[in-house]
Amino acid sequence: MNYDKLEIETAFKDGNMIPIEHTGYGKNISPEFKIKNLSPNAKSLVIILEDLSHPIKNFTHWIAWNIKAESIIPENVGSMNNVIQGIAYGFHKYAGAKPPKFQKHNYRYSVYSLDIILELSSNIMKKKLLKAMNGHILQKGTITGYFKK
């Protein structure tokens, strides 16, 4: 499906290296995201972090939803009230880039704006999250980065 594009900026430029503090080799906290054109109809935001270089296609590192629909998603957003983190490589928490030493992996952060607040258990994985989001996505934006230790 095609959605309106969500413009996002973060601690690194699209295609550049992810700062170490946002990786499993650093503080392992999610980066701040700035959103430039958030729809006034957005009720919540969702973030999905995937490892695009993993042998399992688009290996999910992190899923978080019910993030407050505002122009800034704060750093370490998973520690905030009402934000739900599901089951991924980061089991109910952020799990940043952590490729094997000397290997470069590419990662994609996808941010979605939704017209609802999701009523979901934290014990779900990406597939069920995407199914629940279906028909409620207003916008989507992505930013990709890489990491190599």
Side-chain angles (χ1 to χ4, degrees), residues 1 4-6 9-10 22 28 32 39 43 45 47 52 56 61 87 90 93 108-109 116 120-122 138 140 148:
M1 294 186 104
D4 287 339
K5 184 168 171 55
L6 193 62
E9 293 179 0
T10 190
H22 303 299
N28 209 22
E32 175 184 271
S39 168
K43 301 245 187 307
L45 301 172
I47 303 176
L52 304 176
I56 298 172
H61 267 245
I87 299 172
K93 65 181 181 177
R108 177 177 57 217
Y109 290 86
I116 62 169
L120 297 172
S121 161
S122 64
L138 300 172
K140 177 185 178 184
K148 181 178 180 182

PDB file of all heavy atoms in Angstrom, residues 1 4-6 9-10 22 28 32 39 43 45 47 52 56 61 87 90 93 108-109 116 120-122 138 140 148:
ATOM      1  N   MET A   1       0.836  -1.197   0.000  1.00  0.00           N
ATOM      2  CA  MET A   1       0.000   0.000   0.000  1.00  0.00           C
ATOM      3  C   MET A   1       0.869   1.244   0.000  1.00  0.00           C
ATOM      4  O   MET A   1       1.967   1.239   0.533  1.00  0.00           O
ATOM      5  CB  MET A   1      -0.887   0.018   1.246  1.00  0.00           C
ATOM      6  CG  MET A   1      -1.917  -1.074   1.313  1.00  0.00           C
ATOM      7  SD  MET A   1      -3.008  -0.853   2.724  1.00  0.00           S
ATOM      8  CE  MET A   1      -4.435  -0.246   1.888  1.00  0.00           C
ATOM      9  N   ASP A   4       0.887   8.294   2.869  1.00  0.00           N
ATOM     10  CA  ASP A   4       1.566   9.581   2.860  1.00  0.00           C
ATOM     11  C   ASP A   4       2.913   9.402   3.540  1.00  0.00           C
ATOM     12  O   ASP A   4       3.034   8.682   4.527  1.00  0.00           O
ATOM     13  CB  ASP A   4       0.746  10.626   3.624  1.00  0.00           C
ATOM     14  CG  ASP A   4      -0.500  11.058   2.854  1.00  0.00           C
ATOM     15  OD1 ASP A   4      -0.532  10.883   1.621  1.00  0.00           O
ATOM     16  OD2 ASP A   4      -1.426  11.561   3.495  1.00  0.00           O
ATOM     17  N   LYS A   5       3.932  10.071   3.005  1.00  0.00           N
ATOM     18  CA  LYS A   5       5.279   9.936   3.554  1.00  0.00           C
ATOM     19  C   LYS A   5       5.422  10.746   4.835  1.00  0.00           C
ATOM     20  O   LYS A   5       5.021  11.903   4.904  1.00  0.00           O
ATOM     21  CB  LYS A   5       6.311  10.401   2.526  1.00  0.00           C
ATOM     22  CG  LYS A   5       7.734  10.188   2.986  1.00  0.00           C
ATOM     23  CD  LYS A   5       8.695  10.378   1.843  1.00  0.00           C
ATOM     24  CE  LYS A   5      10.124  10.394   2.248  1.00  0.00           C
ATOM     25  NZ  LYS A   5      10.628   9.303   2.979  1.00  0.00           N
ATOM     26  N   LEU A   6       5.964  10.107   5.827  1.00  0.00           N
ATOM     27  CA  LEU A   6       6.271  10.745   7.097  1.00  0.00           C
ATOM     28  C   LEU A   6       7.742  11.128   7.046  1.00  0.00           C
ATOM     29  O   LEU A   6       8.598  10.280   6.812  1.00  0.00           O
ATOM     30  CB  LEU A   6       6.020   9.741   8.228  1.00  0.00           C
ATOM     31  CG  LEU A   6       5.967  10.248   9.651  1.00  0.00           C
ATOM     32  CD1 LEU A   6       4.826  11.227   9.820  1.00  0.00           C
ATOM     33  CD2 LEU A   6       5.779   9.084  10.604  1.00  0.00           C
ATOM     34  N   GLU A   9      13.750  12.556  10.995  1.00  0.00           N
ATOM     35  CA  GLU A   9      15.188  12.774  11.176  1.00  0.00           C
ATOM     36  C   GLU A   9      15.574  12.146  12.502  1.00  0.00           C
ATOM     37  O   GLU A   9      14.771  12.072  13.427  1.00  0.00           O
ATOM     38  CB  GLU A   9      15.517  14.267  11.215  1.00  0.00           C
ATOM     39  CG  GLU A   9      15.279  14.985   9.921  1.00  0.00           C
ATOM     40  CD  GLU A   9      15.597  16.472  10.031  1.00  0.00           C
ATOM     41  OE1 GLU A   9      16.005  16.936  11.121  1.00  0.00           O
ATOM     42  OE2 GLU A   9      15.414  17.166   9.023  1.00  0.00           O
ATOM     43  N   THR A  10      16.830  11.724  12.582  1.00  0.00           N
ATOM     44  CA  THR A  10      17.305  11.125  13.818  1.00  0.00           C
ATOM     45  C   THR A  10      18.778  11.466  14.016  1.00  0.00           C
ATOM     46  O   THR A  10      19.317  12.352  13.352  1.00  0.00           O
ATOM     47  CB  THR A  10      17.020   9.607  13.857  1.00  0.00           C
ATOM     48  OG1 THR A  10      17.273   9.101  15.158  1.00  0.00           O
ATOM     49  CG2 THR A  10      17.807   8.840  12.827  1.00  0.00           C
ATOM     50  N   HIS A  22      23.241   4.020  20.375  1.00  0.00           N
ATOM     51  CA  HIS A  22      21.960   3.440  19.975  1.00  0.00           C
ATOM     52  C   HIS A  22      22.109   1.994  19.500  1.00  0.00           C
ATOM     53  O   HIS A  22      21.231   1.461  18.821  1.00  0.00           O
ATOM     54  CB  HIS A  22      21.314   4.301  18.891  1.00  0.00           C
ATOM     55  CG  HIS A  22      21.130   5.718  19.320  1.00  0.00           C
ATOM     56  ND1 HIS A  22      20.348   6.073  20.398  1.00  0.00           N
ATOM     57  CD2 HIS A  22      21.670   6.863  18.853  1.00  0.00           C
ATOM     58  CE1 HIS A  22      20.398   7.386  20.558  1.00  0.00           C
ATOM     59  NE2 HIS A  22      21.195   7.882  19.634  1.00  0.00           N
ATOM     60  N   ASN A  28      22.528   1.173  24.182  1.00  0.00           N
ATOM     61  CA  ASN A  28      21.394   0.382  23.706  1.00  0.00           C
ATOM     62  C   ASN A  28      20.061   1.059  24.014  1.00  0.00           C
ATOM     63  O   ASN A  28      19.132   0.458  24.538  1.00  0.00           O
ATOM     64  CB  ASN A  28      21.425  -1.041  24.267  1.00  0.00           C
ATOM     65  CG  ASN A  28      20.762  -2.037  23.323  1.00  0.00           C
ATOM     66  OD1 ASN A  28      20.641  -1.793  22.131  1.00  0.00           O
ATOM     67  ND2 ASN A  28      20.341  -3.157  23.868  1.00  0.00           N
ATOM     68  N   GLU A  32      16.333   9.530  19.341  1.00  0.00           N
ATOM     69  CA  GLU A  32      15.248  10.499  19.213  1.00  0.00           C
ATOM     70  C   GLU A  32      14.889  10.605  17.729  1.00  0.00           C
ATOM     71  O   GLU A  32      15.764  10.527  16.866  1.00  0.00           O
ATOM     72  CB  GLU A  32      15.715  11.866  19.725  1.00  0.00           C
ATOM     73  CG  GLU A  32      14.709  12.967  19.518  1.00  0.00           C
ATOM     74  CD  GLU A  32      15.234  14.321  19.943  1.00  0.00           C
ATOM     75  OE1 GLU A  32      15.068  14.676  21.125  1.00  0.00           O
ATOM     76  OE2 GLU A  32      15.829  15.016  19.087  1.00  0.00           O
ATOM     77  N   SER A  39       0.554  14.077  10.553  1.00  0.00           N
ATOM     78  CA  SER A  39      -0.856  14.351  10.288  1.00  0.00           C
ATOM     79  C   SER A  39      -1.565  14.803  11.562  1.00  0.00           C
ATOM     80  O   SER A  39      -1.353  14.216  12.631  1.00  0.00           O
ATOM     81  CB  SER A  39      -1.533  13.082   9.757  1.00  0.00           C
ATOM     82  OG  SER A  39      -2.941  13.247   9.757  1.00  0.00           O
ATOM     83  N   LYS A  43      -3.220   9.613  16.009  1.00  0.00           N
ATOM     84  CA  LYS A  43      -3.518   9.383  17.430  1.00  0.00           C
ATOM     85  C   LYS A  43      -2.361   8.691  18.145  1.00  0.00           C
ATOM     86  O   LYS A  43      -2.218   8.806  19.354  1.00  0.00           O
ATOM     87  CB  LYS A  43      -4.775   8.524  17.562  1.00  0.00           C
ATOM     88  CG  LYS A  43      -6.009   9.132  16.934  1.00  0.00           C
ATOM     89  CD  LYS A  43      -7.032   9.438  17.967  1.00  0.00           C
ATOM     90  CE  LYS A  43      -8.358   9.898  17.438  1.00  0.00           C
ATOM     91  NZ  LYS A  43      -8.369  10.979  16.526  1.00  0.00           N
ATOM     92  N   LEU A  45       1.842   6.586  17.373  1.00  0.00           N
ATOM     93  CA  LEU A  45       2.944   6.228  16.487  1.00  0.00           C
ATOM     94  C   LEU A  45       3.436   4.826  16.810  1.00  0.00           C
ATOM     95  O   LEU A  45       3.314   4.356  17.944  1.00  0.00           O
ATOM     96  CB  LEU A  45       4.098   7.219  16.651  1.00  0.00           C
ATOM     97  CG  LEU A  45       3.770   8.690  16.373  1.00  0.00           C
ATOM     98  CD1 LEU A  45       4.950   9.576  16.756  1.00  0.00           C
ATOM     99  CD2 LEU A  45       3.392   8.901  14.917  1.00  0.00           C
ATOM    100  N   ILE A  47       6.950   2.213  15.985  1.00  0.00           N
ATOM    101  CA  ILE A  47       8.302   2.088  15.432  1.00  0.00           C
ATOM    102  C   ILE A  47       8.642   0.603  15.317  1.00  0.00           C
ATOM    103  O   ILE A  47       8.405  -0.169  16.251  1.00  0.00           O
ATOM    104  CB  ILE A  47       9.372   2.761  16.303  1.00  0.00           C
ATOM    105  CG1 ILE A  47       9.076   4.234  16.514  1.00  0.00           C
ATOM    106  CG2 ILE A  47      10.765   2.595  15.666  1.00  0.00           C
ATOM    107  CD1 ILE A  47      10.052   4.935  17.449  1.00  0.00           C
ATOM    108  N   LEU A  52      18.306  -5.583   8.141  1.00  0.00           N
ATOM    109  CA  LEU A  52      18.131  -5.955   6.745  1.00  0.00           C
ATOM    110  C   LEU A  52      19.216  -6.894   6.241  1.00  0.00           C
ATOM    111  O   LEU A  52      19.085  -7.471   5.160  1.00  0.00           O
ATOM    112  CB  LEU A  52      18.098  -4.692   5.875  1.00  0.00           C
ATOM    113  CG  LEU A  52      17.042  -3.656   6.268  1.00  0.00           C
ATOM    114  CD1 LEU A  52      17.165  -2.411   5.396  1.00  0.00           C
ATOM    115  CD2 LEU A  52      15.645  -4.235   6.195  1.00  0.00           C
ATOM    116  N   ILE A  56      17.898 -14.142   8.456  1.00  0.00           N
ATOM    117  CA  ILE A  56      16.435 -14.188   8.455  1.00  0.00           C
ATOM    118  C   ILE A  56      15.971 -12.849   7.887  1.00  0.00           C
ATOM    119  O   ILE A  56      16.270 -11.795   8.452  1.00  0.00           O
ATOM    120  CB  ILE A  56      15.868 -14.400   9.876  1.00  0.00           C
ATOM    121  CG1 ILE A  56      16.336 -15.740  10.443  1.00  0.00           C
ATOM    122  CG2 ILE A  56      14.343 -14.296   9.877  1.00  0.00           C
ATOM    123  CD1 ILE A  56      15.996 -15.946  11.909  1.00  0.00           C
ATOM    124  N   HIS A  61      14.237  -6.400  15.322  1.00  0.00           N
ATOM    125  CA  HIS A  61      14.969  -6.109  16.550  1.00  0.00           C
ATOM    126  C   HIS A  61      14.063  -5.516  17.620  1.00  0.00           C
ATOM    127  O   HIS A  61      14.277  -5.728  18.803  1.00  0.00           O
ATOM    128  CB  HIS A  61      16.102  -5.105  16.264  1.00  0.00           C
ATOM    129  CG  HIS A  61      17.406  -5.754  15.973  1.00  0.00           C
ATOM    130  ND1 HIS A  61      18.495  -5.620  16.791  1.00  0.00           N
ATOM    131  CD2 HIS A  61      17.806  -6.542  14.963  1.00  0.00           C
ATOM    132  CE1 HIS A  61      19.509  -6.297  16.289  1.00  0.00           C
ATOM    133  NE2 HIS A  61      19.112  -6.866  15.164  1.00  0.00           N
ATOM    134  N   ILE A  87       7.306  -8.441  21.344  1.00  0.00           N
ATOM    135  CA  ILE A  87       8.315  -9.496  21.301  1.00  0.00           C
ATOM    136  C   ILE A  87       9.096  -9.401  19.991  1.00  0.00           C
ATOM    137  O   ILE A  87       8.525  -9.477  18.911  1.00  0.00           O
ATOM    138  CB  ILE A  87       7.662 -10.883  21.436  1.00  0.00           C
ATOM    139  CG1 ILE A  87       6.933 -10.976  22.782  1.00  0.00           C
ATOM    140  CG2 ILE A  87       8.704 -11.985  21.293  1.00  0.00           C
ATOM    141  CD1 ILE A  87       6.095 -12.223  22.946  1.00  0.00           C
ATOM    142  N   GLY A  90      14.729  -7.748  20.855  1.00  0.00           N
ATOM    143  CA  GLY A  90      14.610  -7.069  22.141  1.00  0.00           C
ATOM    144  C   GLY A  90      13.296  -7.518  22.740  1.00  0.00           C
ATOM    145  O   GLY A  90      12.236  -7.073  22.330  1.00  0.00           O
ATOM    146  N   LYS A  93      11.730  -4.819  24.847  1.00  0.00           N
ATOM    147  CA  LYS A  93      12.637  -3.683  25.030  1.00  0.00           C
ATOM    148  C   LYS A  93      13.376  -3.412  23.725  1.00  0.00           C
ATOM    149  O   LYS A  93      13.379  -4.232  22.816  1.00  0.00           O
ATOM    150  CB  LYS A  93      13.644  -3.944  26.155  1.00  0.00           C
ATOM    151  CG  LYS A  93      14.601  -5.081  25.864  1.00  0.00           C
ATOM    152  CD  LYS A  93      15.561  -5.301  27.016  1.00  0.00           C
ATOM    153  CE  LYS A  93      16.514  -6.446  26.648  1.00  0.00           C
ATOM    154  NZ  LYS A  93      17.499  -6.675  27.675  1.00  0.00           N
ATOM    155  N   ARG A 108      16.852  -0.789   9.389  1.00  0.00           N
ATOM    156  CA  ARG A 108      15.800   0.147   8.987  1.00  0.00           C
ATOM    157  C   ARG A 108      14.883   0.424  10.169  1.00  0.00           C
ATOM    158  O   ARG A 108      14.344  -0.509  10.778  1.00  0.00           O
ATOM    159  CB  ARG A 108      14.990  -0.419   7.828  1.00  0.00           C
ATOM    160  CG  ARG A 108      13.820   0.489   7.409  1.00  0.00           C
ATOM    161  CD  ARG A 108      13.059  -0.023   6.208  1.00  0.00           C
ATOM    162  NE  ARG A 108      12.560  -1.359   6.457  1.00  0.00           N
ATOM    163  CZ  ARG A 108      12.507  -2.316   5.531  1.00  0.00           C
ATOM    164  NH1 ARG A 108      12.922  -2.094   4.307  1.00  0.00           N
ATOM    165  NH2 ARG A 108      12.014  -3.509   5.839  1.00  0.00           N
ATOM    166  N   TYR A 109      14.712   1.702  10.472  1.00  0.00           N
ATOM    167  CA  TYR A 109      13.703   2.152  11.428  1.00  0.00           C
ATOM    168  C   TYR A 109      12.507   2.605  10.594  1.00  0.00           C
ATOM    169  O   TYR A 109      12.637   3.479   9.734  1.00  0.00           O
ATOM    170  CB  TYR A 109      14.197   3.349  12.239  1.00  0.00           C
ATOM    171  CG  TYR A 109      15.295   3.059  13.223  1.00  0.00           C
ATOM    172  CD1 TYR A 109      16.637   3.075  12.827  1.00  0.00           C
ATOM    173  CD2 TYR A 109      15.011   2.803  14.566  1.00  0.00           C
ATOM    174  CE1 TYR A 109      17.655   2.833  13.738  1.00  0.00           C
ATOM    175  CE2 TYR A 109      16.022   2.571  15.482  1.00  0.00           C
ATOM    176  CZ  TYR A 109      17.345   2.584  15.057  1.00  0.00           C
ATOM    177  OH  TYR A 109      18.355   2.351  15.960  1.00  0.00           O
ATOM    178  N   ILE A 116      -5.513   5.487  15.335  1.00  0.00           N
ATOM    179  CA  ILE A 116      -6.058   4.866  16.548  1.00  0.00           C
ATOM    180  C   ILE A 116      -4.935   4.633  17.561  1.00  0.00           C
ATOM    181  O   ILE A 116      -3.756   4.727  17.237  1.00  0.00           O
ATOM    182  CB  ILE A 116      -6.737   3.503  16.258  1.00  0.00           C
ATOM    183  CG1 ILE A 116      -5.717   2.498  15.685  1.00  0.00           C
ATOM    184  CG2 ILE A 116      -7.931   3.653  15.370  1.00  0.00           C
ATOM    185  CD1 ILE A 116      -6.231   1.071  15.615  1.00  0.00           C
ATOM    186  N   LEU A 120      -3.587  -3.851  22.179  1.00  0.00           N
ATOM    187  CA  LEU A 120      -2.874  -5.105  21.954  1.00  0.00           C
ATOM    188  C   LEU A 120      -2.086  -5.509  23.189  1.00  0.00           C
ATOM    189  O   LEU A 120      -1.553  -4.657  23.893  1.00  0.00           O
ATOM    190  CB  LEU A 120      -1.883  -4.958  20.793  1.00  0.00           C
ATOM    191  CG  LEU A 120      -2.431  -4.662  19.416  1.00  0.00           C
ATOM    192  CD1 LEU A 120      -1.288  -4.368  18.460  1.00  0.00           C
ATOM    193  CD2 LEU A 120      -3.247  -5.837  18.913  1.00  0.00           C
ATOM    194  N   SER A 121      -1.966  -6.796  23.375  1.00  0.00           N
ATOM    195  CA  SER A 121      -1.105  -7.335  24.424  1.00  0.00           C
ATOM    196  C   SER A 121       0.346  -7.091  24.039  1.00  0.00           C
ATOM    197  O   SER A 121       0.695  -7.091  22.859  1.00  0.00           O
ATOM    198  CB  SER A 121      -1.360  -8.839  24.561  1.00  0.00           C
ATOM    199  OG  SER A 121      -0.287  -9.469  25.227  1.00  0.00           O
ATOM    200  N   SER A 122       1.201  -6.931  25.010  1.00  0.00           N
ATOM    201  CA  SER A 122       2.633  -6.783  24.722  1.00  0.00           C
ATOM    202  C   SER A 122       3.253  -8.101  24.279  1.00  0.00           C
ATOM    203  O   SER A 122       4.391  -8.132  23.844  1.00  0.00           O
ATOM    204  CB  SER A 122       3.373  -6.238  25.953  1.00  0.00           C
ATOM    205  OG  SER A 122       3.287  -7.163  27.016  1.00  0.00           O
ATOM    206  N   LEU A 138      -1.853   6.126   8.609  1.00  0.00           N
ATOM    207  CA  LEU A 138      -1.992   7.401   7.920  1.00  0.00           C
ATOM    208  C   LEU A 138      -0.724   7.733   7.138  1.00  0.00           C
ATOM    209  O   LEU A 138      -0.789   8.244   6.024  1.00  0.00           O
ATOM    210  CB  LEU A 138      -2.262   8.530   8.934  1.00  0.00           C
ATOM    211  CG  LEU A 138      -3.520   8.401   9.776  1.00  0.00           C
ATOM    212  CD1 LEU A 138      -3.546   9.471  10.865  1.00  0.00           C
ATOM    213  CD2 LEU A 138      -4.760   8.500   8.896  1.00  0.00           C
ATOM    214  N   LYS A 140       3.814   6.763   6.733  1.00  0.00           N
ATOM    215  CA  LYS A 140       4.959   5.902   7.039  1.00  0.00           C
ATOM    216  C   LYS A 140       6.223   6.614   6.591  1.00  0.00           C
ATOM    217  O   LYS A 140       6.273   7.220   5.521  1.00  0.00           O
ATOM    218  CB  LYS A 140       4.836   4.568   6.306  1.00  0.00           C
ATOM    219  CG  LYS A 140       6.045   3.651   6.530  1.00  0.00           C
ATOM    220  CD  LYS A 140       5.947   2.395   5.693  1.00  0.00           C
ATOM    221  CE  LYS A 140       7.210   1.541   5.915  1.00  0.00           C
ATOM    222  NZ  LYS A 140       7.202   0.358   5.037  1.00  0.00           N
ATOM    223  N   LYS A 148      28.923  -1.310  12.173  1.00  0.00           N
ATOM    224  CA  LYS A 148      30.013  -2.275  12.097  1.00  0.00           C
ATOM    225  C   LYS A 148      30.930  -2.006  13.279  1.00  0.00           C
ATOM    226  O   LYS A 148      31.339  -0.876  13.503  1.00  0.00           O
ATOM    227  CB  LYS A 148      30.783  -2.139  10.787  1.00  0.00           C
ATOM    228  CG  LYS A 148      31.916  -3.123  10.638  1.00  0.00           C
ATOM    229  CD  LYS A 148      32.607  -2.956   9.288  1.00  0.00           C
ATOM    230  CE  LYS A 148      33.741  -3.954   9.149  1.00  0.00           C
ATOM    231  NZ  LYS A 148      34.434  -3.769   7.859  1.00  0.00           N
TER     232      LYS A 148
END
